[in-house]
Amino acid sequence: QKEVEQDPGPLSVPEGAIVSLNCTYSNSAFQYFMWYRQYSRKGPELLMYTYSSGNKEDGRFTAQVDKSSKYISLFIRDSQPSDSATYLCAMSGGPGNQFYFGTGTSLTVIP
Amino acid sequence: GAGVSQSPSNKVTEKGKDVELRCDPISGHTALYWYRQSLGQGLEFLIYFQGNSAPDKSGLPSDRFSAERTGGSVSTLTIQRTQQEDSAVYLCASTDPGVLSYEQYFGPGTRLTVT
């Protein structure tokens, strides 16, 4: 079983839609949960970060962590064509620990 | 300021040749990570450096892969006797040693093609 599971998609939505991206994990030691966005032929860039359980909102983006279910989500409201990218979840046990990434979900927002 | 840089951006090599991939992390970042990204496989962890030492080499797929870091800065990933299955994008990331050490800053990657 992989440490982190993520549906690779692809996911295609109309502009303005709400997008839900999800990951599940198996290691209960994970404390740091991150979402990265990767545009084509670029390196990933950090989008959202959450420590332990809870919600975090930043503009149109909301990250949720449910440690009891080992399930994390990223919601994108009012999606825009510029949101078209691959979204990777990542998690870690803490500073100095290895980061574990999902396979990434490819998202296309159609104008 | 300058971000993480990697060179070359693209490398095509023949099976059996050795290749060296270079990573220049952000100045002052003590932690450095190498990953491999293949289609549909996500980011595969290869090796982690803290300063010049590598406390975690668990991700290196075989003894053909090695990496070093000098002066707490530049790192080189070497693949000997390349195989076609080594074709992938090799990404390097560095992190700030402070409280935001969870945030990895990635370079643009080196796209390796083994023919």
Side-chain angles (χ1 to χ4, degrees):
Chain A
Q1 183 185 9
K2 284 185 179 179
E3 295 273 2
V4 180
E5 299 278 358
Q6 182 176 11
D7 185 340
L11 190 59
S12 184
V13 301
E15 183 175 353
I18 296 174
V19 176
S20 172
L21 305 168
N22 312 291
C23 288
T24 59
Y25 63 96
S26 56
N27 190 339
S28 58
F30 290 149
Q31 295 283 347
Y32 295 79
F33 302 92
M34 292 138 285
W35 285 95
Y36 282 80
R37 179 174 60 194
Q38 186 176 22
Y39 291 112
S40 181
R41 300 205 170 241
K42 302 282 188 185
E45 56 180 350
L46 183 67
L47 191 60
M48 295 283 288
Y49 150 76
T50 309
Y51 173 72
S52 194
S53 280
N55 293 359
K56 188 171 187 177
E57 189 172 319
D58 184 1
R60 298 184 294 108
F61 298 88
T62 300
Q64 287 186 351
V65 175
D66 181 348
K67 290 190 71 180
S68 62
S69 302
K70 296 190 178 68
Y71 187 88
I72 71 171
S73 301
L74 177 71
F75 297 96
I76 307 173
R77 291 183 299 280
D78 186 25
S79 55
Q80 302 295 308
S82 58
D83 296 329
S84 298
T86 296
Y87 291 80
L88 301 112
C89 62
M91 40 203 84
S92 170
N97 287 14
Q98 186 181 141
F99 287 74
Y100 293 87
F101 283 81
T103 54
T105 300
S106 175
L107 171 68
T108 300
V109 180
I110 303 166
Chain B
V4 177
S5 61
Q6 291 186 246
S7 60
S9 54
N10 283 283
K11 178 71 176 178
V12 180
T13 190
E14 291 180 353
K15 178 181 171 181
K17 301 279 190 184
D18 297 352
V19 294
E20 274 192 3
L21 312 179
R22 176 186 168 107
C23 172
D24 276 277
I26 292 173
S27 177
H29 282 196
T30 56
L32 186 149
Y33 300 77
W34 281 99
Y35 295 91
R36 179 167 70 176
Q37 187 173 34
S38 306
L39 264 177
Q41 298 299 313
L43 264 67
E44 176 189 1
F45 168 80
L46 296 178
I47 188 169
Y48 155 64
F49 285 93
Q50 183 60 250
N52 289 336
S53 62
D56 191 346
K57 304 180 184 179
S58 62
L60 294 177
S62 75
D63 58 8
R64 296 186 295 105
F65 287 73
S66 62
E68 65 175 15
R69 190 178 185 194
T70 55
S73 181
V74 171
S75 176
T76 303
L77 177 70
T78 301
I79 309 173
Q80 295 179 310
R81 305 180 302 282
T82 51
Q83 303 295 311
Q84 288 186 328
E85 61 262 28
D86 299 333
S87 296
V89 176
Y90 289 81
L91 289 159
C92 169
S94 67
T95 63
D96 190 298
V99 294
L100 299 181
S101 59
Y102 59 83
E103 180 169 5
Q104 297 193 310
Y105 292 83
F106 282 86
T110 294
R111 185 172 298 272
L112 175 66
T113 303
V114 181
T115 61

